[in-house]
Amino acid sequence: MQKNIVKGEPLTKILVPIDVENPSWRVMALVGCLAERLGDRLKGITLFHATGGRYLSEHMLNIDVRAGYVIESGLIKRLREEYIERKIEPVMLSANERIRKWGIKTDVKRETVDGDPVKKILEKIREEGFSTVIMERRDIGTVQEILLGSVTASLLHRDTLASIYMVGNAFTEDTPCAVFKCLIPVDGSPHALSAVEEAAVLGEYLNGSLEEMVLLRVINLAGYPESVSKGLLPEKEAKTHLDEAEELLKSKGIPQSSIKSVLKYGDPVKVIASEAKERGVDLIIMGRRGRSAVKEIFMGSVSSGVLRKCQDPIIAMVTR
């Protein structure tokens, strides 16, 4: 029987997958920063680790499978407890301390489960209504992701109700807790409007640090002649999309002086990457459609292209 799926409101519950082999303290800094700014809006943070059977694999290396060896349940339990105490809890406690140093009052839970990390993260999101997942981004190309595997990549290629925030290279533990410039590509789709709404919620809690919230509409020249031949006006449609996004921001309390609407021509990925670099944005917020990695290789994807080209800013992929 399928369990009920719980859908969370933007930026209300944060799930932080923990890689105990290679923990990211930059992620904890971002979690603490966001938690401190969101205040009472944030209902909880969960540090989450799925073992992936590692404690069994360590034991199995010393077993001759030809002997027909079967692990007893008591031994499995003891191996698991030892693994958690030795490998997981020290990292969990350190992560908790690094988040707590921001002086937050939000409840921080620690949870360890058995099973495949991606599957267990997805189950956790669906069953408890996490709005946000914050992770390290791994510098692996799309083809390599399919061959080698990556938890972050796998989550991006699955349908999930949570927005996924990935720490950029420019963000460190010593980075000031502020977002000065935010870029939101828009195209009139529901996915893009969800990204605008998330940006508005975030902007509301930035306590005046936000200098610019840039709405970017890129007209792809590849389809321009065909649109004109059909009597369509790409510029008019683009302006409608920008106006709609701008009105949504203003309706959420973002001041007009902080909003910049920009219309550009060209390849969307290249233009977004160029604007992000030239404007020195701290955060890019995009809507995501949940396509598979294989489709993205053969069909292309703006979001995956931006992830590859924009290494410095924090990137948020929003799903609603």
Side-chain angles (χ1 to χ4, degrees), residues 209-274:
S209 71
L210 188 67
E211 295 176 1
E212 280 189 349
M213 192 165 279
V214 182
L215 297 169
L216 174 63
R217 176 67 171 92
V218 182
I219 296 178
N220 193 338
L221 292 178
Y224 194 92
E226 182 180 359
S227 296
V228 172
S229 68
K230 293 179 179 179
L232 302 176
L233 300 175
E235 289 83 358
K236 182 179 179 179
E237 181 185 51
K239 186 178 184 306
T240 299
H241 296 160
L242 287 170
D243 289 346
E244 183 179 22
E246 186 172 323
E247 288 303 316
L248 178 55
L249 289 180
K250 291 192 291 185
S251 72
K252 300 294 184 178
I254 305 300
Q256 177 70 62
S257 59
S258 298
I259 304 171
K260 309 293 181 185
S261 291
V262 178
L263 174 61
K264 294 280 185 175
Y265 297 87
D267 175 80
V269 172
K270 292 180 180 178
V271 174
I272 292 169
S274 176

Side-chain angles (χ1 to χ4, degrees), residues 149-201:
S150 159
V151 172
T152 305
S154 295
L155 288 176
L156 285 172
H157 299 315
R158 305 288 184 87
D159 290 331
T160 172
L161 296 175
S163 299
I164 301 176
Y165 281 64
M166 290 157 286
V167 179
N169 292 338
F171 190 90
T172 70
E173 290 187 79
D174 300 320
T175 299
C177 187
V179 172
F180 300 107
K181 296 184 180 182
C182 174
L183 178 66
I184 313 118
V186 298
D187 60 8
S189 68
H191 310 281
L193 289 177
S194 292
V196 175
E197 183 179 3
E198 180 115 354
V201 171

Side-chain angles (χ1 to χ4, degrees), residues 9 27 29 133 136 150 209 233 253 310:
E9 293 297 319
V27 167
V133 179
E136 180 71 78
S150 159
S209 71
L233 300 175
C310 299

